[in-house]
Amino acid sequence: MSDLFEAICTALPLIARFSCGFATLIDLSNWRRKTVDGDGNDANEYLLSSYEGFEEAVKLRQPLLVPSKMNSGVFNLFLPIGDCFLIINNSGHVGLADKLRIIFEEAIPLIARVAGGEAVLFDQEGIRFQSVGPDGRESDRGVGQYTYMGKRAMELGRPVIGPSLLEDGALAVRIPITDQFGMGVNNVVSVKQKKLLAASSQHNQRHFTFADIVGKSESLLHCLRQAKQVAETNSTVLVFGETGTGKELLVQSIHSASQRSNRPFVAMNCAAIPSSLAESHLFGYVAGAFTGARKAGQQGLFEQADGGTLFFDEISEMDLALQSKLLRVLQERELVRIGGKKVIPVNVRVIASTNKDLFEMVARGKFRQDLYYRLNVIELRIPPLRHRIEDIPLLIRHFINEFRAYFGTFVRDISEEALECLQGYPWPGNVRELRNCIERIMNLSTNEVVGIDDIPVIIRKQEAREPEEHQEGQARPMPVEPAATSLAFSSGRASEVGQSFDKNLSWPLSQGSLLKGSTGATERAVILRALETTFYHRQKAARLLGISSTTLWRKMKKLGISPGE
């Protein structure tokens, strides 16, 4: 039998490798034995007691397959061959499955980023135990939940592909890796980005409408009501608003609601075009008008916008010489190209916008008075964001949904604490600054609900600070009146109001805040008088009271004072 023992020992390394475990051969006549591991190396230190069922197999002296009770998935095979006893197990196979699981747990963040979607690992029952977002960050999303496709893939032992439940048009695949776990990926983000690109392409061909403007504050609604009335006419409109308030959004909405909506909407940023090029850009030129001119000449913006709307953004930045030429076209409704003689009639509606006080610029000789009155036929004022704090939560959630769809992140809402912090910040950059802030948060936040720690530090530290006043020598931004005021409120009128308020109150303004130490009823009466005196201009009322406009808004909310009370 020694020859049989030696012959089988020669094949023992191959048997161990094939079984991916340990292989042992015992000569029962003298209890010689030899053990090798799955790599073909001697492993005589491996104990026979590690083979569960060994004693029973020796007694029976017949082939026996015994599953391990200590290690799930491990089997011990006992084969009597003459006076020899061959024992094989697959313990190395189970170890390999564990190694594969570790490898895939480390790899799925990369898989998710490359696939452009979510990547998950699930067990043999289809229950998710790890989930990674398209940005490569781990998430609790769906962990512990059942996935039918995962269960199906484990049952069939092959990949299963089907539609993703997260996005129409997206696909998901579930792949069994071992008999213990599988992996799944989808392409949700890439599908969303393709849709967004298609929507963006369509968006470039359409204009914004009033439905795209987010807000419910009375000051904004008042502005929108006026704008909708104005849209039905062909009158020239001058839109006042600080930087970032959405002047072009309002102007495009007016165009979309007008009878000219099916005609061109052409915009000119007066601050972006050098004065040397602005004239040819606006009025066009004929062939050979100047060096470098196109042989066929070129239409100007007036001709391009014929029948539609021509929008002058930041009209305050237009050169004085060009202002006089613009005035003539507005009066005569006709133009002559540079270098030409032919008179070309134009039919355009002109809308202009500015973030500066044009009346003050007229007084300082920085803007033509006749052009100012020609443009200022109908005046619309967009309130700054600090004057419509109640719109901030709506805007924030609107931007969260917008960026959530674009980035594919799982940020879905914002906490009340974070909302209060953002409402306390004065937002000198208005809606544009708020949008940029939310985009930053959506890129960096690791939480589904935005918390106070996700807010940029500069906002947390400066939330109570009022916007800085204009520097001397610069044009002062136009003050924006709330709904209850008239359209114009000159600085002289404001001064008279302040003096009147000071005389009518029993507390001198020089003593600091009028509300300090006041009871609730007194505080309410003082706030109401301040608001009435300033025609419900919150910022001016706050200055008279010696508090910030944000503090005033909070006190109004606490005391139940509505804007139109």
Side-chain angles (χ1 to χ4, degrees):
M1 287 294 175
S2 60
D3 292 341
L4 179 61
F5 181 84
E6 294 298 334
I8 298 176
C9 280
T10 303
L12 208 59
L14 296 176
I15 295 172
R17 287 184 180 182
F18 184 77
S19 67
C20 196
F22 289 91
T24 300
L25 182 65
I26 302 174
D27 187 346
L28 296 178
S29 63
N30 54 21
W31 286 96
R32 286 188 303 164
R33 76 182 178 94
K34 181 178 179 63
T35 302
V36 296
D37 61 21
D39 294 325
N41 301 317
D42 289 337
N44 288 326
E45 70 279 2
Y46 191 75
L47 300 176
L48 290 175
S49 58
S50 300
Y51 294 111
E52 297 176 61
F54 172 70
E55 294 179 358
E56 181 183 1
V58 171
K59 290 178 181 179
L60 294 175
R61 291 288 185 97
Q62 62 183 24
L64 188 66
L65 182 66
V66 179
S68 173
K69 295 180 180 178
M70 295 184 296
N71 298 306
S72 176
V74 174
F75 292 89
N76 298 308
L77 177 63
F78 302 94
L79 293 173
I81 306 175
D83 287 339
C84 295
F85 210 69
L86 179 63
I87 312 172
I88 309 168
N89 70 20
N90 65 335
S91 59
H93 174 76
V94 174
L96 178 62
D98 292 338
K99 289 179 182 178
L100 279 174
R101 174 167 170 163
I102 293 171
I103 290 172
F104 272 90
E105 287 176 351
E106 294 176 350
I108 62 167
L110 299 176
I111 294 171
R113 294 178 66 180
V114 171
E118 183 186 44
V120 299
L121 294 179
F122 51 87
D123 61 20
Q124 63 270 30
E125 298 299 324
I127 305 299
R128 296 184 183 192
F129 61 82
Q130 187 174 3
S131 177
V132 174
D135 55 358
R137 291 183 289 186
E138 287 202 28
S139 168
D140 293 334
R141 179 185 176 87
V143 173
Q145 294 182 1
Y146 170 79
T147 163
Y148 169 77
M149 287 176 58
K151 174 65 173 176
R152 186 64 175 159
M154 298 301 290
E155 290 176 344
L156 297 175
R158 59 179 174 80
V160 174
I161 190 170
S164 171
L165 300 178
L166 300 178
E167 181 72 20
D168 290 340
L171 295 175
V173 62
R174 299 293 182 258
I175 306 169
I177 306 300
T178 69
D179 56 357
Q180 297 297 312
F181 79 97
M183 179 192 71
V185 294
N186 62 43
N187 64 338
V188 167
V189 172
S190 59
V191 169
K192 284 183 176 180
Q193 288 178 339
K194 287 180 181 178
K195 288 182 178 180
L196 192 64
L197 185 61
S200 177
S201 177
Q202 295 175 1
H203 173 73
N204 291 334
Q205 300 174 7
R206 74 171 184 91
H207 301 296
F208 289 108
T209 67
F210 288 112
D212 296 309
I213 301 177
V214 178
K216 63 177 183 180
S217 62
E218 181 56 34
S219 57
L220 178 65
L221 294 179
H222 174 71
C223 176
L224 294 181
R225 284 194 295 267
Q226 289 186 324
K228 289 175 182 177
Q229 286 182 268
V230 167
E232 298 176 1
T233 71
N234 287 314
S235 298
T236 305
V237 180
L238 185 58
V239 178
F240 291 96
E242 296 179 7
T243 299
T245 51
K247 295 185 288 295
E248 184 165 355
L249 176 60
L250 180 66
V251 172
Q252 286 197 20
S253 300
I254 293 173
H255 172 78
S256 298
S258 72
Q259 297 177 354
R260 298 173 179 262
S261 59
N262 60 343
R263 301 297 295 166
F265 175 87
V266 179
M268 174 181 176
N269 188 331
C270 301
I273 301 176
S275 56
S276 58
L277 301 177
E279 185 176 356
S280 61
H281 193 68
L282 188 57
F283 304 120
Y285 56 84
V286 298
F290 50 83
T291 304
R294 293 182 179 180
K295 293 182 179 180
Q298 181 172 293
Q299 282 188 337
L301 296 184
F302 265 104
E303 290 181 74
Q304 294 175 31
D306 192 40
T309 302
L310 180 56
F311 171 45
F312 292 98
D313 192 15
E314 305 303 346
I315 189 72
S316 59
E317 305 301 320
M318 181 175 285
D319 183 72
L320 281 170
L322 186 59
Q323 288 180 26
S324 62
K325 296 178 181 180
L326 173 62
L327 176 63
R328 178 172 178 81
V329 176
L330 294 180
Q331 290 175 335
E332 305 297 332
R333 298 292 176 178
E334 58 185 25
L335 60 85
V336 177
R337 290 186 185 181
I338 297 175
K341 297 179 179 179
K342 180 182 177 181
V343 176
I344 303 173
V346 288
N347 173 24
V348 298
R349 180 183 193 175
V350 171
I351 303 179
S353 75
T354 180
N355 64 349
K356 296 180 179 178
D357 186 342
L358 290 187
F359 189 80
E360 182 180 340
M361 291 183 68
V362 169
R364 292 190 290 112
K366 299 294 183 181
F367 199 85
R368 288 184 63 96
Q369 185 179 33
D370 45 7
L371 179 59
Y372 170 73
Y373 288 120
R374 171 63 65 177
L375 293 173
N376 196 26
V377 176
I378 298 175
E379 178 183 299
L380 296 177
R381 296 178 181 272
I382 304 177
L385 191 55
R386 63 183 177 276
H387 288 173
R388 52 186 188 106
I389 301 176
E390 57 268 47
D391 289 340
I392 291 179
L394 293 174
L395 288 164
I396 289 173
R397 291 190 168 96
H398 172 77
F399 293 140
I400 285 177
N401 291 332
E402 176 185 340
F403 290 120
R404 183 169 181 255
Y406 182 75
F407 296 133
T409 60
F410 300 128
V411 179
R412 57 178 176 80
D413 204 354
I414 184 169
S415 68
E416 289 300 322
E417 185 182 15
L419 262 183
E420 184 176 351
C421 175
L422 292 174
Q423 285 182 290
Y425 181 67
W427 299 108
N430 293 290
V431 179
R432 182 185 293 121
E433 183 184 7
L434 176 62
R435 187 179 189 276
N436 292 342
C437 174
I438 300 304
E439 182 175 1
R440 177 187 185 278
I441 291 172
M442 294 292 286
N443 272 285
L444 300 179
S445 178
T446 57
N447 306 308
E448 285 196 23
V449 178
V450 175
I452 189 68
D453 293 335
D454 295 315
I455 307 300
V457 176
I458 189 172
I459 291 179
R460 296 205 302 266
K461 287 184 177 180
Q462 300 182 24
E463 61 174 291
R465 192 189 72 178
E466 286 293 307
E468 295 180 0
E469 294 293 331
H470 69 284
Q471 297 178 5
E472 191 170 347
Q474 293 183 345
R476 183 181 291 108
M478 286 299 297
V480 181
E481 303 304 320
T485 70
S486 60
L487 290 177
F489 193 4
S490 68
S491 57
R493 173 62 176 157
S495 176
E496 294 173 10
V497 168
Q499 294 171 6
S500 173
F501 182 77
D502 196 4
K503 292 176 181 178
N504 292 334
L505 286 174
S506 57
W507 300 280
L509 293 174
S510 59
Q511 290 183 359
S513 174
L514 296 173
L515 302 178
K516 189 174 182 181
S518 302
T519 63
T522 304
E523 188 176 57
R524 194 175 195 278
V526 171
I527 289 175
L528 281 172
R529 187 183 299 182
L531 289 169
E532 291 167 358
T533 306
T534 59
F535 297 99
Y536 278 81
H537 192 295
R538 278 204 297 264
Q539 190 173 20
K540 292 175 181 176
R543 287 175 183 171
L544 293 179
L545 295 169
I547 59 178
S548 71
S549 60
T550 303
T551 302
L552 175 59
W553 177 81
R554 288 176 177 168
K555 288 182 178 292
M556 289 174 63
K557 188 175 181 181
K558 178 182 177 182
L559 297 170
I561 301 175
S562 63
E565 185 168 341

